[in-house]
Structures are given as structure tokens and as C-alpha cells.
């Protein structure tokens, strides 16, 4: 089965809720990373973020079998979050652990 890196970009306040929703479905480790996004798409931005043209977001990532993608996206959709979430799936060609 092919693996994908699923990345959910969300408001930092929603990161823990989203991570817990993902942990309820997948056994894979969930990584959370704070991000600062510079851009011109302010549809998800608060007033202060629009003024500064900088969005404070978190990236919530995990590597899973591609067959799990739909159920994980659905789990995030059903999670009790406050703000919109953007997501993407990237094929994983190789991975490992260096000890």
C-alpha cells in the first residue's frame, strides 16, 4: 500500500483538537509545528492577521497508508474546531529511521 504525508494547516488554537482527532483514527505519530504564513489569501485570517499580512498557523502532520486519507480528513472535518483547515496529501517515496 502506498503511503502519504498528510498535512493539515490550521489555526494554532485548533492544533491540539485536530491532533487528538487524528490520533483517534490512526496509529501513526502526529507531529505539530508552529508556522508563520506570509501571503495574500486572507479568507482564513483574523483582523489582526490581515493588518500584519501574517497568519499564525500550525501544521499537523502524519504519514499513513493512502487508504486512510478519507477517514482522517473526515475525522478533522468532524472535530470541534473553530476555524477552517486546509490539507494536502503528498506521496512518500521512501522513509526510514537512522539510529
Amino acid at each position: 500500500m502506498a503511503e502519504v504525508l498528510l498535512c493539515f494547516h490550521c489555526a494554532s488554537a485548533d492544533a491540539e483538537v485536530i491532533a487528538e482527532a487524528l490520533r483517534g483514527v490512526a496509529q501513526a505519530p502526529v507531529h505539530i509545528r508552529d508556522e508563520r504564513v506570509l501571503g495574500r489569501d486572507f479568507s482564513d485570517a483574523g483582523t489582526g492577521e490581515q493588518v500584519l499580512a501574517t497568519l499564525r498557523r500550525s501544521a499537523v502532520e502524519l504519514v499513513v497508508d493512502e487508504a486512510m486519507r478519507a477517514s482522517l480528513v473526515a475525522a478533522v472535518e468532524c472535530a470541534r474546531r473553530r476555524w477552517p483547515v486546509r490539507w494536502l496529501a503528498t506521496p512518500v517515496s521512501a522513509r526510514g529511521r537512522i539510529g
Side-chain angles (χ1 to χ4, degrees):
M1 175 82 36
E3 291 183 313
V4 294
L5 170 66
L6 272 179
C7 183
F8 297 89
H9 296 277
C10 62
S12 295
D14 289 336
E16 291 294 330
V17 170
I18 290 170
E20 288 301 319
L22 294 169
R23 285 181 64 199
V25 177
Q27 298 298 315
V30 178
H31 299 261
I32 302 172
R33 181 180 62 252
D34 289 332
E35 296 183 328
R36 210 177 72 182
V37 181
L38 306 175
R40 292 183 171 82
D41 179 4
F42 297 113
S43 59
D44 297 344
T47 304
E49 292 175 322
Q50 290 177 14
V51 170
L52 296 174
T54 302
L55 287 73
R56 303 293 295 174
R57 295 291 178 265
S58 292
V60 182
E61 298 179 332
L62 68 164
V63 176
V64 295
D65 288 337
E66 188 175 18
M68 294 199 64
R69 179 180 46 85
S71 60
L72 290 165
V73 171
V76 171
E77 186 176 19
C78 293
R80 295 183 57 92
R81 57 191 168 70
R82 294 182 54 201
W83 302 100
V85 175
R86 296 172 188 257
W87 65 274
L88 62 96
T90 306
V92 175
S93 61
R95 71 178 181 132
R97 179 172 185 241
I98 300 172

